[in-house]
């Protein structure tokens, strides 16, 4: 097991990116079938070979910028070498995957028994089909009933969006509760990595996956060492936002303000980072369709250590100027102000940029109008192919979880 220790440190969206966690799509994507698209939260079928080519381009582009690329499956393979952790992980994965009858669990464990740690983790993500298990010794009614559903364990195809299951904030993480049951097993991987991987020991948690209210990493933006923005969205509850704020503001972190962005609750605006990201010290991309309905609340520490929550009556750029202590703020609009281009390019994540350093961002190449608007505002844009990855409705920021950024 790799014992290299990774210091977590994320105090901005734009500080030079040094280390990032990714998951390259695998066989789980080929287990998406039309009948179960909605259940697995996809709109379309993804062509795996091309998706992997694009993801490798993305990873290479980051490496060329001096970023250490760490894969989730490698970290999991490290810890699954321990037979006790392997047993505990499989038991929990089966229970959360609803494979709970005794006969089925025995058959699954027998099927996985000979696999190496790397093969095991890939199979757990890919899902277990009915034809994978030759024989289940019926021990309970659930083992005997015929079922047309093709999986004993569902695939986990959304896992290439590494932004959501946990979020790095300062030196700690928010280990999230996902809004959809389909995605909740994704947070198990982070739980095991942060519990057991020697490289990630003793990382504080600002939230935990055993809580009741959902919050997803796409809604969490670390704007500066003092200010975190969290979206109240289709996938993140105000209760969770307040709890994370409470934990952050009572910790030793320098963070003194959480800005809660209340955005429209629709699939198109799934997370805050699908409509708003930071690209430079004083520049942000934004989807124009959220500017009018956007409400912002500031959460700070008041008297007697109580949280103080205030509705901000100003428009977004004034709120950002005030809390980030900037003389001016430039909002670069997705689609460069053209409502048709904005709507089309927001659908393929034109506003979902990943900054590798101040003023230098990674974007999908398909969002031509928005990428040119960024360049007009002196932002350097690094592009890669996006035929297939974009079908999952997430962009470069969605696919990456920074573990370390240099301070700015």
């Amino acid at each position: 097991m790799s014992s290299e220790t990774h210091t977590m440190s994320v105090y901005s969206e734009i500080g030079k990116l040094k280390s990032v966690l990714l998951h390259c799509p695998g066989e789980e994507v080929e287990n998406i079938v039309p009948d179960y698209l909605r259940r697995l939260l996809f709109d379309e079928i993804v062509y795996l070979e091309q998706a992997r080519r694009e993801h490798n381009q993305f990873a290479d582009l980051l490496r060329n910028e001096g970023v250490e690329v760490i894969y989730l499956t490698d970290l999991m393979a490290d810890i699954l070498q321990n037979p006790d952790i392997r047993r505990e992980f499989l038991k929990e994965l089966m229970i959360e995957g609803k494979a709970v009858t005794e006969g089925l669990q025995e058959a699954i464990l027998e099927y996985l028994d000979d696999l190496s740690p790397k093969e095991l983790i890939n199979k757990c993500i890919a899902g277990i089909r009915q034809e994978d298990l030759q024989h289940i010794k019926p021990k309970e009614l659930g083992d005997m009933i015929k079922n047309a559903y093709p999986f004993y364990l569902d695939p986990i195809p959304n896992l290439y969006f590494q932004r959501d299951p946990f979020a790095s904030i300062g030196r700690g993480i928010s280990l999230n509760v996902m809004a959809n049951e389909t995605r909740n097993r994704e947070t198990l991987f982070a739980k095991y990595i942060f519990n057991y991987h020697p490289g990630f020991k003793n990382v504080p948690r600002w939230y935990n996956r055993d809580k009741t209210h959902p919050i997803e990493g796409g809604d969490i933006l670390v704007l500066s060492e003092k200010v975190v923005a969290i979206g109240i969205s289709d996938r993140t509850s105000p209760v969770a936002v307040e709890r994370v704020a409470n934990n952050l503001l009572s910790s030793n972190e320098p963070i003194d303000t959480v800005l809660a962005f209340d955005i429209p609750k629709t699939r198109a605006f799934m997370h805050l980072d699908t409509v708003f990201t930071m690209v430079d010290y004083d520049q942000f991309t934004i989807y124009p369709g959220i500017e009018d309905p956007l409400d912002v609340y500031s959460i700070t520490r008041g008297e007697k250590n109580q949280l103080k929550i205030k509705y901000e009556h100003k428009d977004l750029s004034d709120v950002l100027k005030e809390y980030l202590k900037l003389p001016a703020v430039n909002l670069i609009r997705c689609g460069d102000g053209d409502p048709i281009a904005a709507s089309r390019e927001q659908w393929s994540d034109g506003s979902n940029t990943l900054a590798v350093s101040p003023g230098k961002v990674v974007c999908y190449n398909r969002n031509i109008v928005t990428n040119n608007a960024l360049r007009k505002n002196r932002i350097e844009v690094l592009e890669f192919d996006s035929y297939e990855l974009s079908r999952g409705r997430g962009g470069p920021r969605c696919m990456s979880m920074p573990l370390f950024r240099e301070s700015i």
Side-chain angles (χ1 to χ4, degrees), residues 66-93:
V67 182
E68 177 194 23
V69 173
I70 299 171
Y71 286 101
L72 175 86
T73 45
D74 291 340
L75 295 180
M76 285 302 297
D78 278 350
I79 62 175
L80 292 176
Q81 289 173 35
N82 179 315
D84 294 336
I85 296 174
R86 179 172 168 138
R87 265 193 303 276
E88 183 191 336
F89 170 73
L90 288 175
K91 188 82 179 157
E92 205 165 348
L93 186 80

Side-chain angles (χ1 to χ4, degrees), residues 245-253 255 301 305:
N246 191 38
N247 290 334
L248 282 170
L249 298 175
S250 55
S251 72
N252 295 325
E253 294 286 345
I255 294 157
R301 272 272 165 242
N305 229 15

Side-chain angles (χ1 to χ4, degrees), residues 91-360:
K91 188 82 179 157
E92 205 165 348
L93 186 80
M94 290 189 295
I95 290 168
E96 296 210 3
K98 304 265 196 292
V100 295
T101 58
E102 192 185 343
L104 177 56
Q105 288 196 351
E106 278 180 10
I108 289 173
L109 291 173
E110 190 180 330
Y111 171 66
L112 297 173
D113 196 39
D114 293 333
L115 300 185
S116 71
K118 193 66 183 279
E119 291 166 338
L120 177 75
I121 194 60
N122 286 334
K123 191 65 200 169
C124 290
I125 295 166
I128 293 180
R129 299 181 182 192
Q130 282 205 11
E131 66 262 27
D132 288 336
L133 304 187
Q134 298 310 313
H135 183 62
I136 297 173
K137 292 189 186 113
K139 303 208 167 174
E140 297 175 43
L141 180 61
D143 296 327
M144 300 177 187
I145 299 293
K146 293 185 179 71
N147 187 350
Y149 188 62
F151 299 103
Y152 285 128
L153 263 186
D154 269 357
I156 310 179
N158 296 276
L159 196 62
Y160 74 90
F161 299 120
Q162 273 298 293
R163 183 65 61 162
D164 296 321
F166 77 92
S168 312
I169 311 172
R171 297 196 180 281
I173 62 160
S174 164
L175 181 51
N176 297 328
V177 174
M178 309 298 267
N180 297 83
E181 197 176 25
T182 298
R183 293 197 70 184
N184 240 350
R185 281 176 304 153
E186 293 177 43
T187 67
L188 257 185
F189 303 112
K191 171 185 169 176
Y192 275 78
I193 288 164
F194 288 101
N195 276 359
Y196 295 120
H197 198 287
F200 295 94
K201 278 278 166 73
N202 305 318
V203 172
R205 293 189 191 174
W206 315 125
Y207 202 69
N208 219 338
R209 71 187 297 277
D210 57 1
K211 299 287 184 278
T212 49
H213 289 73
I215 183 168
E216 298 190 359
D219 281 313
I220 299 174
L221 281 73
V222 183
L223 299 182
S224 75
E225 66 168 17
K226 291 184 181 288
V227 183
V228 174
I230 308 182
I232 299 164
S233 70
D234 195 31
R235 306 274 180 95
T236 291
S237 138
V239 174
V241 174
E242 188 170 338
R243 287 183 179 159
V244 171
N246 191 38
N247 290 334
L248 282 170
L249 298 175
S250 55
S251 72
N252 295 325
E253 294 286 345
I255 294 157
D256 60 20
T257 307
V258 171
L259 296 175
F261 285 52
D262 189 16
I263 66 173
K265 315 296 179 282
T266 68
R267 176 155 167 79
F269 309 157
M270 195 183 309
H271 293 123
L272 179 60
D273 73 358
T274 63
V275 287
F276 174 79
T277 47
M278 188 171 188
V279 296
D280 204 348
Y281 295 101
D282 54 358
Q283 300 204 81
F284 302 82
T285 63
I286 189 162
Y287 173 62
I290 66 144
E291 288 181 76
D292 289 336
L294 180 68
D295 287 319
V296 182
Y297 299 81
S298 59
I299 307 173
T300 53
R301 272 272 165 242
E303 290 171 20
K304 298 183 183 161
N305 229 15
Q306 296 295 306
L307 285 186
K308 184 171 148 202
I309 303 173
K310 181 176 122 199
Y311 177 66
E312 299 286 339
H313 290 277
K314 303 179 280 296
D315 66 24
L316 178 60
S317 50
D318 287 333
V319 172
L320 293 169
K321 274 195 304 198
E322 178 186 341
Y323 285 100
L324 298 178
K325 312 223 174 333
L326 294 166
V329 159
N330 183 28
L331 298 178
I332 303 166
R333 286 169 180 81
C334 182
D336 202 16
D338 173 348
I340 300 292
S343 181
R344 187 183 69 249
E345 294 198 355
Q346 191 272 333
W347 183 246
S348 50
D349 288 279
S351 299
N352 189 262
T353 63
L354 172 68
V356 289
S357 58
K360 186 190 273 195

